[in-house]
């Protein structure tokens, strides 16, 4: 219609109607072209305007490389790139620097064989780079993965040097340099030396072969097993880049509740294809192994670890895997836990099982990571004590290529737990930390809960086993027991991944921070979670302080808020049955007492809490004497663990002066209030964060507020039936009666095992 109208309006005399129509059409096309050009120009201007918020979907994680406000300060330091490209890792390093710096600075770097001008970035090892060899830097003690970043002069030119012993160290150094640029740090007079404090920095995927992710809230498994080994999604490479950028160097592809199928030739080939993609980024593949695999896929009559046929089966299996994956990392095993098969099925110990598998992978340099997450409802003892009871007697009985992987707390990844008493209690066994990055117990993907403070709290906890300062971090990095660990013992940390096929990887934008923080702390368990949050927020959202500071503020208190509105004062394990979504303090009965809530909170008319003192279950005695004495005394126990260790009367006076009941209600409300505060802060950032991400976070925060209120109301309604006291003044009553909350069912909640 519009074109026709223009034809009529602009027909000069003497033109045929067709000519006029053609001319008008051309004019129209010209105008359209001009408009497109104008729009493109506008877009370009907008894109290159630093700090401008434009739609982003989160796929790029913290490696966004958007134009930097401070680009002018960086450009003189990044005029050319001198980086070898003869190995896949070198190519990845060079490609990342080019991609990152050109994105951040808006200019293309010239790649040169040598530094020919000021501002060269020179990357490599003494073997790969003559310029670096000539500098004769002290790289020896950097190991394979460490690196130096130095300001230097090369052939009279100012240069920034990234030097390592091995390609992988250079890649890590390249990511570090990019981080410095992304976070707007000065590149003058650099003198950085980094060596990872732990050797195995690993993700544990709880991914099944049908792509269901146990406790996954970010869609299906990232691994498209069906299309492997032929189709290699580009996502695998981006996964590797993201992990390498924070130093993660190992990944267990499949669920600890493992399918034996994973060890069949077909799936070994698929795992090998993934290993090939991850290898250039320094990431080794491990597999969870089902202990009964010799029976299920090997046709043996049993899986007894002392049976020669079983030993042979695992040796052959290891040989087969190493043929396909020469740098295969080894096996992760969940045995005799929550119904999984294990050596105890044959009257053998965890050490018998672990050692048998360790012998199978040993000739290839492989490791066995044996989980200490064991407990049985048939054992009458407090669940919190069972791992310690089983494993401490086995200290010193494991092969030197076995590591025991211990969850941060003795129950199960709760919003808050005291550190696991096994840390410090097995001086002859390398213990790996197991954190849960996916938020099974902290509100799934929709609750904003930054886990950095949780990780940090555990790592800084003082076991006191060798006097004050015997922190969990020192157990994990091997320094506390350097004298007693087997020679060449490996150190490490594992994080249960929150990664899935969702476009933003983690199910929510803020959950990316938990992956990031985990990686950074695995590299260096002594980092501060606040510094990590700053880094992450700058890279992920904006380098503008007016954006970063409010975001960091929200993040830092967010985990504590979850503790408050779900399980304050040391309460734990109060979530809905099986799916673990929402409150379920009333959960009782069913197949196992230790899968109910009443087992843990023990609320009655006289009080609430689990007595784990020397008068109760005695769990406190599993800690070193000074810690045990502290936790044994209700007055000395930090209030955040009060009901973890003590059964306390409802009118017990807490530190605030409020009676316990009042304090409990206060904490619940405080948690909800914090979420309201986060919403206000986030609303204030509208326009400063791109609309797409802003809107999703805002919606998730609204969900979080609703669910925090639900947790508060349901918990108060339930506990009030025991406390039999009115709500403190000013506290709003629950929106519904208790039976309403109890009636809610969620048969399709995600992630259910
Ligand atoms: C529990 C999860 C369950 C896992 C188990 C484990 O609910 O899905 O299999 O941990 O760590 O917290 O093995």
């Amino acid at each position: 219609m519009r074109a026709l109208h223009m034809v009529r309006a602009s027909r000069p005399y003497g033109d045929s109607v067709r000519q006029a129509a053609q001319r008008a059409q051309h004019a129209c096309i010209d105008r359209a072209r001009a408009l497109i050009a104008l729009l493109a120009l506008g877009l370009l201007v907008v894109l290159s305007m630093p700090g401008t918020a434009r739609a982003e979907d989160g796929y790029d994680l913290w490696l966004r490389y958007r134009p930097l406000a401070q680009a002018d300060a960086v450009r003189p330091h990044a005029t050319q790139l001198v980086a070898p490209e003869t190995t896949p890792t070198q190519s990845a390093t060079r490609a990342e620097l080019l991609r990152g710096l050109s994105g951040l600075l808006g200019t293309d770097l010239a790649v040169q064989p040598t530094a020919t001008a000021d501002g060269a970035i020179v990357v490599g090892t003494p073997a790969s780079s003559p310029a670096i060899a000539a500098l004769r830097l002290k790289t020896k003690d950097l190991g394979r993965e460490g690196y130096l970043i130095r300001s230097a002069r090369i052939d009279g030119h100012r240069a920034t040097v990234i030097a390592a012993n091995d390609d992988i160290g250079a890649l890590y150094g390249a990511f570090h340099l990019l981080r410095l640029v992304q976070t707007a740090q000065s590149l003058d007079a650099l003198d950085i030396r980094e060596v990872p404090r732990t050797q195995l920095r690993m993700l544990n995927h709880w991914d099944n072969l049908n792509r269901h992710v146990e406790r996954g809230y970010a869609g299906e498994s990232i691994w498209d097993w069906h299309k492997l080994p032929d189709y290699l999604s580009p996502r695998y490479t981006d996964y590797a880049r993201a992990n390498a950028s924070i130093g993660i160097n190992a990944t267990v592809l499949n669920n600890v509740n493992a399918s034996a199928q994973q060890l069949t030739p077909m799936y070994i080939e698929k795992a090998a294809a993934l290993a090939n993609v991850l290898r250039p980024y320094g990431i080794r593949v491990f597999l969870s192994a089902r202990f009964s695999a010799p029976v299920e896929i090997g046709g043996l009559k049993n899986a007894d670890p002392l049976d020669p046929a079983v030993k042979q089966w695992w040796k052959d299996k290891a040989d087969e895997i190493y043929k396909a994956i020469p740098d295969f990392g080894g096996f992760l095993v969940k045995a005799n836990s929550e119904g999984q098969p294990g050596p105890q099925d044959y009257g053998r110990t965890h050490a018998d099982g672990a050692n048998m598998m360790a012998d199978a992978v040993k000739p290839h340099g492989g490791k066995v990571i044996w989980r200490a997450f064991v407990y049985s409802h048939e054992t009458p003892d407090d669940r919190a004590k069972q791992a310690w009871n089983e494993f401490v007697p086995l200290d010193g009985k494991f092969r030197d290529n076995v590591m025991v992987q211990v969850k941060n707390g003795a129950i199960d990844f709760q919003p808050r737990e005291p550190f696991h008493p096994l840390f410090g209690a097995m001086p002859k066994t390398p213990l790996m930390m197991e954190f849960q990055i996916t938020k099974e117990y902290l509100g799934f993907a929709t609750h904003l809960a930054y886990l950095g403070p949780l990780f940090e709290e555990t790592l800084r906890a003082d076991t006191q086993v060798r006097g004050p300062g015997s922190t969990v971090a020192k157990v994990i990095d091997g320094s506390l027991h350097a004298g007693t660990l087997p020679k060449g013992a490996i150190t490490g940390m594992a994080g249960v991944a929150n990664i899935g096929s969702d476009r933003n990887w983690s199910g929510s934008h803020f959950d990316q921070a938990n992956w990031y923080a985990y990686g950074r702390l695995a590299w260096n368990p002594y980092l501060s979670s606040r510094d990590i949050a700053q880094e992450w927020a700058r890279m992920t959202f904006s380098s503008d302080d007016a954006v970063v500071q409010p975001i960091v503020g929200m993040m830092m208190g967010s985990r504590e808020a979850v503790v408050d509105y779900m399980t304050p004062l040391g309460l734990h394990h109060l979530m809905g049955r099986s799916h673990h979504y929402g409150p379920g303090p009333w959960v009782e009965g069913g197949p196992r007492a230790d899968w109910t809530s009443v087992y843990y909170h023990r609320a009655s008319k006289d009080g609430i809490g689990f007595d784990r003192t020397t008068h109760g279950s005695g769990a406190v005695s599993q800690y070193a004497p000074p810690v045990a004495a502290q936790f044994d005394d209700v007055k000395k126990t930090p209030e955040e663990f009060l009901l973890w260790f003590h059964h306390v009367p409802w009118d017990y006076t807490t530190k605030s002066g409020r009676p316990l009941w009042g304090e409990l209600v206060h904490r619940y409300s405080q948690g909800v209030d914090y979420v309201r505060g986060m919403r206000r802060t986030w609303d204030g950032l509208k326009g400063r964060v791109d609309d797409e991400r802003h809107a999703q976070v805002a919606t998730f925060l609204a969900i979080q507020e609703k669910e925090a209120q639900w947790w508060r109301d349901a918990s108060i309604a339930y506990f009030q039936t025991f406390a039999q006291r009115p709500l403190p003044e000013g506290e709003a009553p629950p929106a519904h009666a208790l039976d309403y909350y109890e009636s809610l069912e969620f048969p399709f909640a995600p992630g259910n095992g």
Side-chain angles (χ1 to χ4, degrees), residues 355-377:
N355 291 344
M356 182 267 301
M357 292 175 79
D359 290 342
V361 293
K362 173 88 178 174
H364 307 280
K367 312 271 172 268
V368 166
I369 300 166
W370 198 266
R371 294 178 88 222
F373 179 66
V374 298
Y375 65 101
S376 162
H377 61 298

Side-chain angles (χ1 to χ4, degrees), residues 370-446:
W370 198 266
R371 294 178 88 222
F373 179 66
V374 298
Y375 65 101
S376 162
H377 61 298
E378 278 144 18
T379 308
D381 212 348
D382 176 2
R383 170 172 166 187
K385 291 170 65 184
Q386 294 185 28
W388 192 99
N389 288 345
E390 294 239 19
F391 277 84
V392 167
L394 299 177
D395 191 28
K397 301 217 161 79
F398 292 99
R399 299 278 192 271
D400 60 4
N401 58 333
V402 174
M403 305 168 77
V404 172
Q405 184 168 299
V406 183
K407 288 190 181 183
N408 57 287
I411 296 295
D412 199 352
F413 295 142
Q414 294 302 294
R416 168 167 280 128
E417 300 195 26
F419 71 88
H420 201 303
L422 272 176
F423 293 117
M426 296 184 70
K428 297 182 195 148
T429 310
L431 298 189
M432 253 173 99
M433 170 64 77
E434 179 175 323
F435 284 128
Q436 192 179 44
I437 308 170
T438 186
K439 303 205 314 298
E440 174 180 358
Y441 300 101
L442 288 99
F444 297 5
T446 44

